[in-house]
Amino acid sequence: MKAKDINPSENSAEANRIRLQLLRSLMNFVHDEASESKIFDFGFRKLAEIFPDFQITFSKRDKLDKPTKHILETPLLINKMIVGVLRMESSNAHSWTDFEKLILCDLADYLSLVIRDRRSLERARESEQKFRQLAENIQEVFWMTDPAKNQMIYVSPAYESIWNRSIESLYENPMSFIEAIHPVDRERVIAALPQQASGTYKQEYRICRPDGKERWIRDRAFPIRNDQGKIYRIAGLAEDISDQKAYETKLKEVQSIVVSNAKMAALGEMAGGVAHEINNPLMVILGKLGQLQKWADENNDLKANIQSHLDSIAKMVDRIAKIIKGLRAFSRNADLDPMVTSKLSQIVTETLELCLAKFNHASIELRFDEGQFEIEVDCRPVQISQVLLNLLSNAFDAVQNLENKWIEISARKVGKDRVQLAVSDSGRGIAKEILVNILDPFFTTKEVGKGTGLGLPISQGIIEAHQGRLWYDEKSSYTRFIFELPCSKKI
């Protein structure tokens, strides 16, 4: 039966059979190797078999012509946009039937699907190619797993060069990378794995390679969600940071040397004051001993006076012991000392023993209320003493030539678990153009040979290592540095 003999209202079964046969023919013809033009040609031939009296054409345009008795058109739609127009044209005036319209729409719909799918597939292939080009040429390891870590979906080739293990071994056992993690770091990394689903996973750890070498890895991960918002992939990026870690280690070694040199410079700077500090008590001791000897020779009934002098001698000896203890503590490396619970009053008092004579000799008033410092902190006392000594030394240099010269140490509790210590002096503050560089290493406003420019940066590093912070108080009318520490967690 020819299409022109079909009346859809009277023979819809035959009409549907022809429509279904057309779609089956198109579906059987379409395959991965068939181009869009070949598919169009095939569709036109099949349509011509159904409608041999009409001319069938396709044009790439985004609107339809005005319908006439000679022309029937239908659009090809992709994402609701017209990408082309199918046309059937009759040489004579023709009243277009519903069947003819349905067949033309069927072909247009199917070709629209083919074009959309082909273009989507082409974009997907291009995206995949770009992704592989990127993943296979970056130095980092890009990886992707299922949320349960049961399947390694993808791992980039850099894995083999960094881990010195085959990619196939990781595909076979996605958790095998755990075996490569250094035993010291392994438990921490395993405990952090659940963070991958929240996007907060970021770990640095060492791996042990089969060739015996160790490498440092920085590993990050984030979740990938499907259209329903459910996590169905975990993707990550692991990079080799061994060179960076080696540089950091070397930098710490250099900083340790610099800190040691800075300590020695500070010790040399206060050597004169220390000598004076020790010499004076010794002179008192010698003088009191001479008096005791003389009184003992002249009168045996002076026990009370002798006892008083003995107490004075004991006090001076105790002072000498504190000074020597402070010097010995300050001159050694405290970086590896454990955190201990200490009273700020003891740290401040022992620090002042090292510089009190220097302040007195320069007629600098020292303001210090020991009652403010009855607060305990978990710290390395030697390092906190070093910070205080540096701030006091800077304050001394700033005020020693002023007419009104004083230095004040104060403390106050902030909130429930923080304490602030402030070192203020009678100077009129720091100029803004200098302030921007005040914490930069090797920046100093002192004369050549008097300052290293390392005191404040080192102090800042020490305080930050104690989970605190150090800053210059720009609101103060005088020169004022503050550092903040967490109070002791010990109840």
Side-chain angles (χ1 to χ4, degrees):
M1 185 180 291
K2 294 291 184 181
K4 61 182 180 180
D5 300 326
I6 296 175
N7 184 336
S9 62
E10 296 177 356
N11 201 342
S12 59
E14 181 62 21
N16 288 336
R17 187 190 67 76
I18 293 175
R19 292 176 62 197
L20 185 60
Q21 187 177 18
L22 172 64
L23 292 175
R24 281 178 177 171
S25 299
L26 287 167
M27 292 174 65
N28 291 333
F29 178 79
V30 174
H31 52 82
D32 290 344
E33 302 302 323
S35 63
E36 285 185 15
S37 61
K38 288 182 178 179
I39 295 172
F40 270 72
D41 290 341
F42 181 79
F44 293 166
R45 289 201 305 271
K46 287 297 178 182
L47 201 59
E49 290 176 5
I50 301 172
F51 304 119
D53 297 332
F54 302 143
Q55 181 181 358
I56 302 162
T57 58
F58 170 77
S59 58
K60 291 183 178 180
R61 45 193 170 96
D62 58 4
K63 61 182 179 179
L64 303 177
D65 288 338
K66 188 176 180 180
T68 70
K69 291 287 186 177
H70 296 273
I71 297 172
L72 176 64
E73 289 187 340
T74 190
L76 269 67
L77 297 172
I78 296 179
N79 298 327
K80 298 182 180 180
M81 293 181 62
I82 298 177
V83 297
V85 176
L86 272 184
R87 169 187 284 201
M88 282 203 308
E89 191 170 350
S90 173
S91 56
N92 302 314
H94 181 73
S95 180
W96 300 101
T97 66
D98 290 342
F99 174 69
E100 291 164 345
K101 294 175 183 177
L102 283 172
I103 289 289
L104 191 63
C105 286
D106 286 344
L107 181 59
D109 290 344
Y110 189 78
L111 292 178
S112 296
L113 289 173
V114 170
I115 294 173
R116 186 194 65 188
D117 292 346
R118 286 303 174 90
R119 292 180 182 178
S120 297
L121 181 60
E122 186 178 346
R123 284 195 294 269
R125 285 174 175 171
E126 288 178 356
S127 297
E128 182 180 358
Q129 185 179 10
K130 289 177 181 178
F131 165 75
R132 289 191 175 275
Q133 287 175 344
L134 175 64
E136 293 175 7
N137 287 282
I138 59 173
Q139 296 178 346
E140 296 82 2
V141 177
F142 179 82
W143 55 266
M144 187 181 294
T145 68
D146 69 316
K149 298 293 180 186
N150 294 323
Q151 180 187 8
M152 178 60 66
I153 298 168
Y154 179 80
V155 61
S156 63
Y159 175 80
E160 294 190 343
S161 59
I162 295 176
W163 263 258
N164 195 229
R165 297 167 184 259
S166 70
I167 289 176
E168 287 73 19
S169 66
L170 193 58
Y171 281 129
E172 290 173 3
N173 181 10
M175 293 299 288
S176 65
F177 84 96
I178 291 291
E179 301 169 4
I181 298 176
H182 194 287
V184 175
D185 303 331
R186 190 178 298 154
E187 199 170 309
R188 169 174 54 83
V189 176
I190 293 174
L193 288 179
Q195 297 173 3
Q196 293 184 350
S198 63
T200 59
Y201 175 85
K202 184 178 180 180
Q203 291 290 314
E204 292 184 0
Y205 53 84
R206 290 161 293 176
I207 58 170
C208 302
R209 294 167 29 130
D211 59 8
K213 295 180 181 178
E214 284 187 6
R215 306 297 291 176
W216 271 98
I217 305 298
R218 179 184 290 127
D219 197 12
R220 290 163 288 177
F222 51 90
I224 301 176
R225 301 178 185 272
N226 59 20
D227 295 338
Q228 289 74 43
K230 184 178 179 181
I231 297 173
Y232 77 112
R233 297 281 188 271
I234 299 291
L237 197 67
E239 58 180 317
D240 186 344
I241 58 169
S242 303
D243 291 342
Q244 178 185 328
K245 286 292 184 179
Y247 172 78
E248 289 174 359
T249 301
K250 186 66 177 177
L251 184 61
K252 286 180 181 178
E253 292 174 359
V254 173
Q255 286 177 336
S256 178
I257 294 171
V258 170
V259 169
S260 179
N261 291 340
K263 284 184 178 181
M264 292 302 102
L267 283 171
E269 198 172 305
M270 65 181 182
V274 171
H276 181 77
E277 189 75 12
I278 294 177
N279 188 57
N280 282 350
L282 286 176
M283 293 301 293
V284 172
I285 291 171
L286 290 174
K288 296 296 182 181
L289 284 174
Q291 289 181 24
L292 285 172
Q293 185 63 54
K294 183 178 178 180
W295 289 339
D297 292 342
E298 294 176 354
N299 192 338
N300 293 327
D301 194 19
L302 295 173
K303 185 176 180 181
N305 285 333
I306 291 174
Q307 187 62 52
S308 174
H309 290 303
L310 287 173
D311 290 342
S312 180
I313 292 171
K315 186 176 179 181
M316 292 301 105
V317 170
D318 182 63
R319 186 178 176 192
I320 293 171
K322 286 182 178 178
I323 293 170
I324 294 173
K325 178 183 176 183
L327 283 173
R328 290 179 65 187
F330 183 74
S331 61
R332 69 180 180 80
N333 183 6
D335 290 346
L336 300 179
D337 283 3
M339 292 284 191
V340 295
T341 302
S342 305
K343 276 191 176 182
L344 287 176
S345 56
Q346 182 179 353
I347 296 174
V348 175
T349 300
E350 291 180 356
T351 303
L352 290 177
E353 288 289 346
L354 296 174
C355 54
L356 197 57
K358 182 179 178 181
F359 288 0
N360 291 337
H361 182 72
S363 300
I364 296 174
E365 178 188 359
L366 181 64
R367 301 173 182 176
F368 167 54
D369 181 1
E370 189 171 348
Q372 295 179 353
F373 294 83
E374 294 303 311
I375 302 171
E376 291 186 339
V377 295
D378 293 330
C379 67
R380 299 183 180 93
V382 172
Q383 290 190 328
I384 302 303
S385 177
Q386 181 184 348
V387 172
L388 271 172
L389 195 60
N390 176 70
L391 295 177
L392 289 168
S393 179
N394 288 347
F396 175 89
D397 291 341
V399 305
Q400 62 177 326
N401 296 322
L402 299 179
E403 185 176 345
N404 177 29
K405 40 191 175 184
W406 54 261
I407 295 174
E408 180 181 59
I409 309 173
S410 60
R412 71 185 185 99
K413 202 166 182 182
V414 181
K416 295 182 179 179
D417 58 356
R418 307 288 287 185
V419 61
Q420 289 182 356
L421 284 83
V423 177
S424 309
D425 63 58
S426 53
R428 289 299 176 182
I430 300 173
K432 288 186 177 180
E433 59 267 25
I434 295 175
L435 190 60
V436 294
N437 302 114
I438 200 71
L439 292 174
D440 292 346
F442 305 108
F443 177 83
T444 180
T445 57
K446 297 179 182 178
E447 298 175 11
V448 177
K450 285 195 173 182
T452 62
L454 292 170
L456 284 176
I458 290 171
S459 297
Q460 183 184 41
I462 289 172
I463 296 302
E464 288 179 350
H466 281 74
Q467 308 303 313
R469 60 192 185 103
L470 180 149
W471 70 95
Y472 172 74
D473 184 5
E474 295 184 64
K475 297 180 181 179
S476 174
S477 302
Y478 301 97
T479 306
R480 188 168 187 250
F481 279 89
I482 304 172
F483 64 91
E484 184 178 287
L485 295 170
C487 297
S488 175
K489 296 178 181 177
K490 187 177 180 181
I491 300 176

